[in-house]
Amino acid sequence: MDRTGKDEGGELRLTAGESVTSRTSRDVLGRGLSVLGRAIREQPRIFAVAVAGSVLFGGLVIASAYVVGAVVGDVVVPAVERGSVGVAAVALAAGALFGISVLRVVGIFGRRIGAGYMQFRLQAAYRRRVTRRYLDLPLSWHQRNATGTLLSNANSDVEAAWYPIAPLPFAVGTLVMLVGAVVSLFVTDWALALVGLAVFPALFALNVVYSRRMAPRQARAQRLRAEVSGIAHESFDGALVVKTMGREAQETARFSARAGELRDALVAVGRLRGVFDPMLETLPSLGTLAVLVVGAFRLRQGAITVTELVSVAFLFTVLAFPVRAIGWVLAELPRSVAGWDRVRRVLDATGEMPYGDVALDPADPTPATLDFADVGFAYEPAEAHLPGAEVLGEVSFTVPAGATVALVGPTGAGKSTVAALAVRLVDPDAGTVRLDGVDVRQLTAGSLAGAVALVAQVPFVFDDTVRANITLDRPGITDEQAWAALRLAEADGFVAALPDGLDTMVGERGTSLSGGQRQRLTLARALAGRPRLLVLDDATSAVDPRVEAAILAGLRAPTAGGPAASILVVAYRRATIALADEVIYLEHGRVLARGTHTELLASVAGYADLVTAYEQAETDPQQQRTPDEVTPLATGLEIEVDR
Amino acid sequence: MSVAEAERPAEEPAESTWRTLRRGLALSPELRTGLAGTVALALVYMVGRVAVPVAVQQGIDKGIVGGLDLDVVWTVVAATVAVLVVTTTCGYLMMRRLFTVSETALANVRTRAFRHVHDLSMLHQQSERRGSLVSRVTSDVDQITQFLQWGGVILIVNLGQLVVTTAVMLAYSWQLTLVVLAAFAPAVLVIRLLQRRLAGAYGVVRQRTGALLGTIAESVVGAPVIRAYGIAGRTARRLDTAIEGQRQAQQRAIRISILGSSVGELAAGLALAGVVVLGVALGVDGTLSVGQLTAFLFLVTLFIQPVQIATEVLNEAQNAIAGWRRVLDVLDAVPDVADPGEQGRELPSGPLDIRFAGVNFAYPGGPPVLHDVSLEIPAKSRVAVVGETGSGKTTFAKLLTRLMDPSGGEVLLSGVPLPRVRFASLRARVVMVPQDGFLFDATVGENVRFARPELTDAELTTAFTELGLADWLDGLPAGLDTPVGERGEALSVGERQLVALARAYVADPDLLVLDEATSAVDPATEVRLQRTLDAVTRGRTTLAIAHRLSTAQAADEVIVVDRGRIVQRGPHDELVREPDSVYGLLYASWLEQTG
């Protein structure tokens, strides 16, 4: 497959995206901080616990430096000079050092439990919100967004958005600690404090520069990661095609090219880290050395004591590591902002299909009436430069209560769209769809779902038990009713043969079932709800004619407890069509004709061609056995390849 | 298949971390290239950390305590700065090497795992969740690189720091070093114990994360069903349960992890206190100078840091190792339907004949699907396979195209047993059109030339014309350049089948296997396709699985499968005359349907 054109397009978009990123990298910091602010506002208490723990820890780090200084200056030096050990002083010193450690454990507990819980709570909360939006937003929105994108919005994007939460309390505590350290330095000696004032802001500045430089590189890596994952997803989804056409090597080449780009992007990230990480590490060491020099001068001037000098030097050593926490937060901000933007896109998406407030009588056992009045529908164009395809125009018809109406038309005529409109999976762009005289847009959610059922062309089965797939937790569907529905759908036989009957797990997307079995299972699901209007969208295509005939007979002559439903059925088979009270013939999104099967057969040429195709093929065997008018393309190609 | 998935224990008794690492390294020998140099650089980088305490000691002992000598302080500081410049440069070089090597090695692992997934048999692929196969080549590999870089650098650096610090501590005072080691020994034991529990806890996290992803995927892919049945509430509850389950698991894991670092912290306190007590005594003894004791206190913090960091890195390591193990497991999975490769044979040229010799088949752990099927299909014949749902028709097609191997017996094409045929030859000559004609997110044209990228647009248009689909192609918004959308969803199901058929047609196979390839196409189009297919498949062998008997009527021969056995065989006209036969009943029902 020629993917080069596409790849170049992707590359262009990528570079464009990157220049945007670098232009906006200045405000990534601001926006990142505002994302963090939101996190704090949402989880103030747990954040307070974490910061309290972190501040306690930070205070103790400073304290430990002064204790070590005091131990050296006030315990060790005098003891060495005296030549004797002051037991009480040494015990006090040892006790103080150990006590500080115990308190630090308390600080660590508060900080890490707080930070971890906060991060996980936010992740969970936003996963709930994002997935709620998925349930609320209309199908047209779903169709505009790739499945992979929606999956990563709810998963990795949420994770990325709250990733800096883990080191955040540590960083906040460190900031407090830095302020405390500078203050304590001023209390000790102004000259040493100046060293601190030079080193700490420099450390901070280095961190900021680092994260700014990193932002576009990380963003690029993240984008490529998504693309690599997209290729893998698609390729594994189409594994059967790849295998049957022997295209493994080409698919691997396609994957490998993008994986190579990702590798280069990640190496670029790594080189930058290689530059900054050692510098960030060395800066505090230089601080300690500066303290040694300045301290020696001040010692000579008599301004400070050895105790103070040791304390300050120790302070620089122990501060070096926590300061890195600020860098961690800053480094994660661009990813966080990018993740947050994608999450926001879902949360802010509009276009819900709100339900109305007109309720239908749930106990009404009579079949429903369905009305299409001048209905028009167009899909949004897949790409901006392409025209939006009008699928339906001025479609009007009625399914009277208790009637069966067949929808017939060539491939791509818009039949599935009519089916989707009938159960309000989508709303029309023009005209009205009415159920029992009420615009379906005015019906409550429960009313609509309770009254109508759609069996789609491609069956969707949940990774759950057979029972759950039939009942979908709708109230009042007993096992007996489930079996009755299965019988009607001719699915009772294979379900009874499953190892655990109704309790058998069907696997992801029902992989353990055959296509025909999945179809009959979804048919049983629709029947179990006793719908008043049943919409069958070519729902028996994977079922053998005999089985299909039995199913349809069951639907037409409902036994006791069977459904009394109006039926709108998309069909090709003449037996199915013959059962219909009326046939709607659709071509290019327009109702070309309506009437009984016999009427249409007599008056509409396109219809007659379509439904009698098999007989014509049979009665005209000559035509199918003399294909001289066709030049096999494949042979021609072979010649070309041989050349 | 999915049952096997469910039965698989949540956290299989993991092989040892070391074994996984060894396997991982064996698989990526690139990781070893220049490893010695990288480690050497790391050690030099570490000297930078130890240089400062040593400088402080020298400065205090020689330049401050016992007579202030600023020259000495200057000299010490200047020398240390020089050392720091060297070590920082080494740090840069080390990281650069590490990143380049690890990213290159793992990009290769990624690609190999991707290829290997495609090489696994169809049954094997289906036994895994799609999402989990994808994560083998994405997040699992990311986890390894992240660990090698963040964790790996830190581990190397910290192990280096531990070694160098211990060496310097020993140089100052072996007694105090023993105190420090004694304080840390119990901590290390406790941390090791916790590590094991932590591994279990992270296992639960991964499992719940997988379940969560599955539930989210279902809510996204199943959106139409959720909408149509008004079961948003139920779906929301399932999502909440999965989200909450993952959160609980994460919180449990972090609690255990914190216990580990607390133990390390307490050990550090103990060590400092011990050093002070013994240090003062040694100082009074005259064994240790004030500067040395001060340096020692600094060194203890340098000793603590790596131990604490290492515990956190090891937590991460558990995740990374588990990811690595999963990637390795994929790579180690032997494809049960393997390409014989160089040792294999090419299929003889020309039309292919088919022979099934005593073929049996059962899905793993399932009842037999095909029983002792033996038959011969001559070259160039057009055969239809019919039978009820679940009779074994599709299994027949999958065995013929070697998507699966039979449990017993042999399938031969032109006399060559399938397992001996090179895949390159098999896939070029035998093409199957499955019922679900998966399309890639590209244009119609790109999908059709999937197997033959060299075809021009004009040739593709000709192909559509020959298939009688020129009108349909013209009706598309942008003809061959019309994007088909993700999985082809911008087209109707029937239209997707048309594209899949065209794709197989231009692949120009000698044996074409159609598995209900036109089930969602309207009858008029199907009949038209049937005729043109008959024409263009003349001279090659065609096997069509059909539930529309129009296909069977048009075939040279019909094979009727019932409950895994071939019960009838012959031309349509003969078979319908056999009274009360399976085919007779199927045909009667078909007539009723269409007539």
Side-chain angles (χ1 to χ4, degrees):
Chain A
M1 195 173 301
D2 175 23
R3 305 219 177 233
T4 34
K6 206 179 165 197
D7 285 357
E8 275 164 20
E11 197 56 54
L12 282 177
R13 276 199 297 282
L14 222 63
T15 7
E18 222 155 277
S19 71
V20 170
T21 317
S22 59
R23 224 188 308 127
T24 54
S25 75
R26 211 168 298 269
D27 46 59
V28 160
L29 186 65
R31 295 179 54 217
L33 290 178
S34 92
V35 174
L36 294 182
R38 171 180 294 268
I40 295 166
R41 278 197 302 282
E42 289 203 19
Q43 301 282 346
R45 252 174 289 172
I46 194 89
F47 181 69
V49 169
V51 169
S54 181
V55 169
L56 174 64
F57 180 81
L60 290 167
V61 167
I62 297 175
S64 70
Y66 285 93
V67 169
V68 166
V71 166
V72 172
D74 302 338
V75 180
V76 178
V77 174
V80 170
E81 279 167 4
R82 263 203 326 274
S84 73
V85 182
V87 177
V90 169
L92 185 69
L97 286 171
F98 187 67
I100 283 176
S101 270
V102 172
L103 283 175
R104 268 158 66 135
V105 167
V106 174
I108 290 175
F109 248 95
R111 185 189 82 216
R112 290 196 53 200
I113 289 267
Y117 276 37
M118 182 176 176
Q119 187 191 8
F120 300 144
R121 279 186 193 182
L122 281 165
Q123 278 179 9
Y126 273 83
R127 282 192 176 129
R128 273 196 291 272
R129 284 181 213 179
V130 167
T131 51
R132 282 296 184 287
R133 291 300 298 161
Y134 289 169
L135 296 176
D136 289 342
L137 285 164
L139 277 183
S140 54
W141 185 86
H142 276 268
Q143 279 157 356
R144 278 197 305 274
N145 291 281
T147 309
T149 312
L150 297 188
L151 285 182
S152 66
N153 285 158
N155 181 41
S156 52
D157 289 338
V158 167
E159 205 168 276
W162 304 126
Y163 211 77
I165 298 300
L168 179 65
F170 198 5
V172 172
T174 304
L175 276 180
V176 173
M177 182 165 77
L178 282 182
V179 173
V182 171
V183 170
S184 76
L185 284 176
F186 270 108
V187 171
T188 310
D189 181 57
W190 64 267
L192 291 176
L194 286 182
V195 176
L197 277 184
V199 171
F200 296 147
L203 211 52
F204 188 80
L206 200 61
N207 266 312
V208 171
V209 173
Y210 184 20
S211 69
R212 280 221 183 128
R213 290 273 186 93
M214 194 55 117
R217 285 177 173 77
Q218 286 279 24
R220 180 179 153 77
Q222 201 58 23
R223 258 199 309 278
L224 285 166
R225 238 185 220 122
E227 286 178 30
V228 164
S229 158
I231 292 177
H233 222 105
E234 186 183 53
S235 192
F236 293 166
D237 246 4
L240 195 59
V241 174
V242 174
K243 203 180 266 303
T244 51
M245 301 231 153
R247 302 302 286 173
E248 290 93 344
Q250 288 72 15
E251 283 294 292
T252 306
R254 177 160 83 102
F255 179 82
S256 169
R258 206 45 60 89
E261 278 179 52
L262 175 61
R263 175 200 59 217
D264 295 342
L266 289 171
V267 168
V269 166
R271 290 204 171 166
L272 196 71
R273 245 191 87 192
V275 173
F276 278 89
D277 266 10
M279 280 187 359
L280 285 169
E281 171 109 33
T282 307
L283 201 55
S285 298
L286 292 177
T288 310
L289 294 177
V291 164
L292 208 56
V293 173
V294 175
F297 270 110
R298 298 293 286 162
L299 209 58
R300 192 170 66 174
Q301 291 168 358
I304 57 166
T305 62
V306 173
T307 304
E308 285 163 339
L309 175 60
V310 171
S311 298
V312 172
F314 195 84
L315 189 62
F316 274 80
T317 311
V318 290
L319 273 180
F321 182 69
V323 168
R324 302 290 297 279
I326 299 172
W328 296 337
V329 172
L330 292 176
E332 290 298 340
L333 280 187
R335 227 177 108 190
S336 160
V337 169
W340 173 246
D341 284 348
R342 286 192 289 266
V343 169
R344 267 275 296 279
R345 198 186 59 85
V346 175
L347 296 181
D348 293 349
T350 51
E352 288 102 321
M353 285 174 41
Y355 292 101
D357 48 14
V358 178
L360 298 171
D361 178 9
D364 186 355
T366 60
T369 309
L370 175 74
D371 248 319
F372 268 58
D374 286 327
V375 171
F377 185 85
Y379 279 112
E380 286 175 44
E383 281 173 33
H385 65 274
L386 294 172
E390 192 207 49
V391 182
L392 294 178
E394 294 162 22
V395 170
S396 299
F397 67 89
T398 303
V399 182
T404 299
V405 171
L407 203 55
V408 181
T411 304
K415 304 181 296 291
S416 292
T417 310
V418 170
L421 284 162
V423 299
R424 208 186 167 214
L425 284 184
V426 289
D427 278 337
D429 296 324
T432 323
V433 178
R434 291 194 187 84
L435 193 72
D436 281 347
V438 185
D439 187 334
V440 289
R441 284 172 284 207
Q442 291 172 351
L443 290 174
T444 60
S447 282
L448 194 65
V452 302
L454 166 75
V455 186
Q457 205 170 5
V458 183
F460 182 84
V461 174
F462 291 92
D463 184 7
D464 208 328
T465 61
V466 172
R467 179 187 291 106
N469 264 295
I470 292 170
T471 66
L472 297 178
D473 292 355
R474 287 171 293 178
I477 299 178
T478 62
D479 276 10
E480 272 160 51
Q481 283 165 335
W483 278 114
L486 285 169
R487 260 194 303 281
L488 211 51
E490 293 268 312
D492 51 334
F494 85 81
V495 171
L498 290 173
D500 299 314
L502 285 180
D503 292 313
T504 310
M505 296 292 294
V506 297
E508 190 188 29
R509 313 260 190 285
T511 37
S512 61
L513 304 176
S514 81
Q517 289 173 334
R518 283 200 291 270
Q519 257 188 353
R520 283 180 276 166
L521 190 59
T522 56
L523 189 60
R525 172 195 292 162
L527 296 173
R530 298 171 181 235
R532 299 171 51 228
L533 169 69
L534 184 63
V535 182
L536 302 173
D537 182 7
D538 199 11
T540 45
S541 62
V543 172
D544 297 308
R546 229 170 65 179
V547 177
E548 190 196 31
I551 293 173
L552 289 170
L555 285 180
R556 280 294 292 176
T559 46
S566 313
I567 300 175
L568 176 65
V569 55
V570 175
Y572 294 128
R573 294 179 184 170
R574 273 179 80 172
T576 320
I577 298 169
L579 289 174
D581 302 302
E582 193 185 26
V583 178
I584 316 277
Y585 180 61
L586 213 59
E587 217 175 82
H588 299 301
R590 310 264 154 176
V591 176
L592 227 63
R594 41 192 292 199
T596 64
H597 172 60
T598 334
E599 284 165 16
L600 293 190
L601 209 53
S603 60
V604 185
Y607 178 78
D609 282 349
L610 194 69
V611 296
T612 61
Y614 294 129
E615 288 135 82
Q616 284 177 2
E618 201 179 342
T619 54
D620 191 10
Q622 239 47 43
Q623 200 186 336
Q624 74 187 90
R625 300 281 165 160
T626 47
D628 300 331
E629 72 273 22
V630 184
T631 319
L633 159 99
T635 326
L637 285 175
E638 212 152 44
I639 293 163
E640 198 157 297
V641 171
D642 285 346
R643 257 188 301 174
Chain B
M1 298 184 273
S2 56
V3 182
E5 166 99 4
E7 278 168 5
R8 200 173 302 152
E11 191 55 30
E12 58 273 16
E15 62 173 348
S16 80
T17 301
W18 282 116
R19 215 183 101 71
T20 307
L21 278 175
R22 272 205 306 275
R23 274 167 74 202
L25 285 174
L27 198 81
S28 306
E30 307 101 309
L31 282 176
R32 289 175 206 251
T33 48
L35 188 64
T38 308
V39 170
L41 286 169
L43 286 176
V44 177
Y45 181 37
M46 261 5 334
V47 170
R49 288 198 182 158
V50 185
V52 174
V54 174
V56 170
Q57 177 261 324
Q58 293 287 329
I60 289 178
D61 277 356
K62 300 199 175 131
I64 294 171
V65 178
L68 211 55
D69 186 343
L70 284 181
D71 284 346
V72 172
V73 173
W74 270 118
T75 315
V76 166
V77 167
T80 314
V81 169
V83 168
L84 284 179
V85 168
V86 172
T87 58
T88 306
T89 312
C90 286
Y92 164 70
L93 292 173
M94 172 209 54
M95 288 197 175
R96 210 185 134 125
R97 287 172 71 122
L98 194 72
F99 277 105
T100 312
V101 166
S102 61
E103 288 297 349
T104 308
L106 285 153
N108 292 343
V109 168
R110 216 190 273 278
T111 305
R112 274 157 67 189
F114 176 90
R115 173 60 199 246
H116 201 79
V117 168
H118 274 306
D119 286 342
L120 292 174
S121 74
M122 190 197 68
L123 280 180
H124 198 135
Q125 288 170 347
Q126 284 177 354
S127 70
E128 297 264 354
R129 286 167 177 271
R130 293 270 158 72
S132 72
L133 280 180
V134 173
S135 66
R136 294 296 171 275
V137 297
T138 55
S139 55
D140 284 344
V141 173
D142 286 342
Q143 228 162 26
I144 305 169
T145 43
Q146 242 167 39
F147 163 70
L148 284 182
Q149 292 157 6
W150 294 98
V153 171
I154 294 176
L155 261 193
I156 292 186
V157 163
N158 283 285
L159 280 179
Q161 182 170 335
L162 211 58
V163 171
V164 174
T165 308
T166 311
V168 176
M169 285 200 308
L170 277 173
Y172 280 134
S173 159
W174 62 267
Q175 298 97 327
L176 289 182
T177 308
L178 274 185
V179 169
V180 172
L181 292 178
F184 274 96
V188 169
L189 284 179
V190 173
I191 287 169
R192 270 193 67 117
L193 278 176
L194 285 172
Q195 212 70 56
R196 231 166 277 161
R197 288 188 53 193
L198 198 59
Y202 275 123
V204 177
V205 170
R206 277 194 304 279
Q207 190 198 336
R208 301 245 173 109
T209 304
L212 173 63
L213 284 178
T215 315
I216 295 176
E218 218 170 54
S219 77
V220 169
V221 182
V225 178
I226 292 164
R227 180 95 197 170
Y229 284 89
I231 51 163
R234 168 185 198 262
T235 315
R237 278 195 302 280
R238 281 162 72 102
L239 283 164
D240 286 355
T241 310
I243 291 170
E244 193 54 28
Q246 188 212 24
R247 186 173 76 94
Q248 297 294 348
Q250 286 172 323
Q251 293 188 346
R252 177 159 173 270
I254 203 170
R255 284 198 300 270
I256 299 175
S257 147
I258 293 171
L259 271 182
S261 28
S262 301
V263 171
E265 179 66 37
L266 285 179
L270 213 59
L272 270 181
V275 165
V276 167
V277 172
L278 188 63
V280 171
L282 291 174
V284 171
D285 255 15
T287 327
L288 210 62
S289 71
V290 174
Q292 281 172 327
L293 183 54
T294 310
F296 213 95
L297 289 175
F298 277 60
L299 286 167
V300 171
T301 53
L302 282 179
F303 187 86
I304 295 164
Q305 269 178 8
V307 171
Q308 279 186 334
I309 293 167
T311 57
E312 305 213 358
V313 168
L314 282 175
N315 293 345
E316 221 180 285
Q318 292 300 336
N319 263 333
I321 297 286
W324 211 340
R325 196 174 293 140
R326 284 195 299 274
V327 176
L328 291 171
D329 285 348
V330 163
L331 281 167
D332 283 355
V334 180
D336 45 357
V337 179
D339 183 358
E342 288 301 305
Q343 276 120 48
R345 290 180 49 186
E346 299 272 327
L347 283 171
S349 59
L352 298 167
D353 64 63
I354 302 168
R355 192 153 83 89
F356 273 57
V359 169
N360 288 294
F361 185 80
Y363 286 97
V369 184
L370 285 186
H371 307 269
D372 198 23
V373 171
S374 294
L375 85 166
E376 279 176 47
I377 297 172
K380 298 191 195 181
S381 60
R382 290 168 295 168
V383 176
V385 179
V386 299
E388 296 203 351
T389 305
S391 58
K393 289 175 298 193
T394 297
T395 305
F396 192 80
K398 286 175 180 164
L399 292 173
L400 181 57
T401 49
R402 210 177 168 225
L403 289 175
M404 314 187 293
D405 280 337
S407 324
E410 254 188 334
V411 181
L412 303 96
L413 286 183
S414 289
V416 186
L418 279 186
R420 301 208 38 210
V421 180
R422 253 179 240 163
F423 273 16
S425 172
L426 181 70
R427 301 302 181 208
R429 308 276 305 279
V430 178
V431 166
M432 169 163 126
V433 186
Q435 190 176 2
D436 160 36
F438 181 92
L439 300 187
F440 291 86
D441 186 5
T443 66
V444 170
E446 284 168 333
N447 269 292
V448 173
R449 62 164 72 91
F450 183 63
R452 307 269 304 264
E454 73 278 7
L455 293 187
T456 64
D457 277 5
E459 285 167 319
L460 294 187
T461 311
T462 314
F464 274 102
T465 309
E466 284 168 0
L467 285 170
L469 298 172
D471 288 353
W472 174 77
L473 188 65
D474 288 343
L476 291 177
L480 283 174
D481 294 328
T482 308
V484 302
E486 209 185 341
R487 282 190 292 273
E489 277 162 10
L491 303 178
S492 79
V493 182
E495 289 172 319
R496 277 177 241 166
Q497 290 189 335
L498 297 183
V499 177
L501 199 68
R503 174 168 61 193
Y505 172 52
V506 303
D508 181 26
D510 287 303
L511 168 59
L512 183 62
V513 182
L514 305 166
D515 184 5
E516 304 197 2
T518 50
S519 62
V521 171
D522 70 68
T525 309
E526 195 191 18
V527 166
R528 216 162 59 222
L529 278 171
Q530 196 69 55
R531 284 176 186 162
T532 45
L533 275 177
D534 280 347
V536 298
T537 54
R538 189 149 285 226
R540 53 199 88 212
T541 317
T542 319
L543 188 130
I545 289 169
H547 65 265
R548 289 184 182 173
L549 294 198
S550 56
T551 314
Q553 279 169 279
D556 297 334
E557 196 179 30
V558 181
I559 293 173
V560 186
V561 186
D562 189 42
R563 281 174 230 147
R565 292 176 204 279
I566 292 173
V567 291
Q568 272 180 295
R569 211 190 141 168
H572 168 80
D573 297 341
E574 282 175 28
L575 293 189
V576 283
R577 282 200 291 275
E578 293 178 24
D580 288 337
S581 64
V582 174
Y583 190 73
L585 291 174
L586 278 173
Y587 188 64
S589 148
W590 166 251
L591 282 183
E592 210 176 289
Q593 293 278 307
T594 54

